[in-house]
Structures are given as C-alpha cells and as structure tokens.
Amino acid sequence: RREQIRVMRVRDNLATGPTFGRHLGGYLIDEKTDDFCMQLDSHMDFLDHWDTELIDMWKMVDNEYGILSTYVPGFGMIEKYQANGGGLQVPHLCSIEFRNQLPRNLPAKAASYLQKPIMANVWAAGFSFAKCHFELNIPYDGKLTGIFDGEEFSRMARLWTAGYDVYAPRKNIVYHEYSSKYTQQLQRWRRIKQSL
C-alpha cells in the first residue's frame, strides 16, 4: 500500500520543535480523499481493529465537530485499563496548570465504565482523532516555534472558539511506551496483547 503513504522530508537543521513539525504535517492531508485524521506521538501500539473501533467511537458522539483526544495509557497499564473486556477506566483530561507562565495540561484523571465518549475540556497533542476538516480548518500555528508547554492549550482555545468539541474515548485502544526500559516493556506488552 505504498501509494497510500505521503512523506515530507525535512532537514534536521530546520527542526524548530513539535508545533512546527505538526504544522508541516497538515500539508500532507488531501481534502478530496482523506476523511479521518489521527495525530499521535511516537512509540505507540494499537489493539486489533483499532481503526473501526475509533470510527465507531467517533460516531457515538454524534457531532461532526467532535474530536477524540486524551493522554493514552502506557504499555505497563494495560492490565489495569483493559480489565473486564477493555475500557474499565480511560484517561480523561479536564484541567491545566501554568508552568513558567505557560498553560500546560495536567495529568489525566480516570473515567470508568463509559458507554460512549464523554466531553473533555482539554485537547491532547499525543492522541487526536477526528474528521480531517479539523486539521484543515484549525491548523497548527507554524509560528509557535520552540514551544512545548502551551502547544495544546493554544490549539484547544482555537478549536473551541471555532465550534469543535473534545471527547475522551470510551475505551483504550492505543497505548504509549513511556518507559526507558523499552525492550522489556515491549515484550511484556506483546504477550498481554496476544491474550486479549
């Protein structure tokens, strides 16, 4: 499926932080063919059927301007979060703090036994899934070079004022490798994932 992959190569000396890099990613969207867009951090893995699960969850919000977004759990949290068939608890973003005079999302709280996604008031750059018009209508600000703290709040403010709503997914289907013990965690994750 190589024809489905679009690549933008950028020299390392032109890198100016995550906000500018994500801004450039918006140029890869083809509004004629791309229906849904997902933004992720690196070092992610997915449960089986993640694609249909995400589309089904997005449909549950019944909102063309709905965005599924949260801080996803780490590989080491799969037993906790996948208990009872998946989705016993999901991370729910609901507050910010100011660090060095810049707004930053606080760690996620937990929502339990959700039947459908629930509204959140914070957007996460590490996992975001919505119709592609979200990326086209509210692109990343390419002038915010070198910004890390403040990235998510800046975009959330522009999303909200343009009529977009953020929802925590009803179950966890994406996991992130946060540990420095990558190889051990990955092997453990693969064993657990096979048993689901």
Side-chain angles (χ1 to χ4, degrees):
R1 298 189 184 200
R2 193 161 180 81
E3 72 281 355
Q4 294 178 307
I5 299 172
R6 297 180 206 118
V7 176
M8 178 184 293
R9 296 189 189 281
V10 179
R11 292 178 54 95
D12 62 343
N13 63 344
L14 299 177
T16 58
T19 304
F20 182 66
R22 290 173 171 154
H23 167 77
L24 292 178
Y27 291 108
L28 296 173
I29 299 168
D30 184 339
E31 60 186 303
K32 295 177 184 161
T33 60
D34 297 335
D35 198 15
F36 287 97
C37 286
M38 180 168 50
Q39 176 178 300
L40 298 168
D41 281 342
S42 58
H43 310 296
M44 299 283 209
D45 200 358
F46 301 82
L47 298 182
D48 292 342
H49 313 294
W50 62 270
D51 49 353
T52 54
E53 292 258 14
L54 275 176
I55 292 170
D56 289 346
M57 274 193 273
W58 181 86
K59 288 178 180 177
M60 286 178 183
V61 303
D62 195 26
N63 179 352
E64 178 69 18
Y65 292 88
I67 303 166
L68 299 176
S69 184
T70 193
Y71 288 159
V72 300
F75 288 0
M77 300 295 288
I78 189 167
E79 290 103 337
K80 176 181 177 182
Y81 286 112
Q82 289 300 124
N84 298 331
L88 172 65
Q89 290 185 337
V90 296
H92 181 240
L93 292 169
C94 53
S95 54
I96 64 166
E97 67 178 352
F98 281 82
R99 185 181 296 171
N100 299 323
Q101 299 180 332
L102 292 170
R104 179 178 171 84
N105 293 354
L106 282 171
K109 306 293 185 195
S112 301
Y113 301 105
L114 299 179
Q115 297 303 307
K116 65 180 192 174
I118 60 170
M119 185 134 341
N121 59 4
V122 180
W123 175 81
F127 171 73
S128 179
F129 180 83
K131 285 290 191 89
C132 285
H133 58 69
F134 141 70
E135 295 287 352
L136 298 168
N137 293 340
I138 314 297
Y140 261 92
D141 186 342
K143 304 287 185 193
L144 292 178
T145 57
I147 294 291
F148 184 75
D149 287 347
E151 168 199 2
E152 293 166 317
F153 183 83
S154 165
R155 194 137 192 234
M156 179 63 198
R158 292 184 300 120
L159 290 168
W160 186 77
T161 57
Y164 286 87
D165 294 314
V166 177
Y167 299 83
R170 77 170 194 85
K171 67 186 265 190
N172 301 298
I173 56 172
V174 182
Y175 288 81
H176 189 288
E177 175 48 62
Y178 293 105
S179 169
S180 59
K181 299 175 183 176
Y182 180 74
T183 305
Q184 293 173 350
Q185 287 284 15
L186 183 60
Q187 290 170 348
R188 184 170 174 266
W189 158 254
R190 287 180 176 156
R191 285 193 306 270
I192 295 165
K193 187 176 168 185
Q194 289 172 350
S195 68
L196 294 175

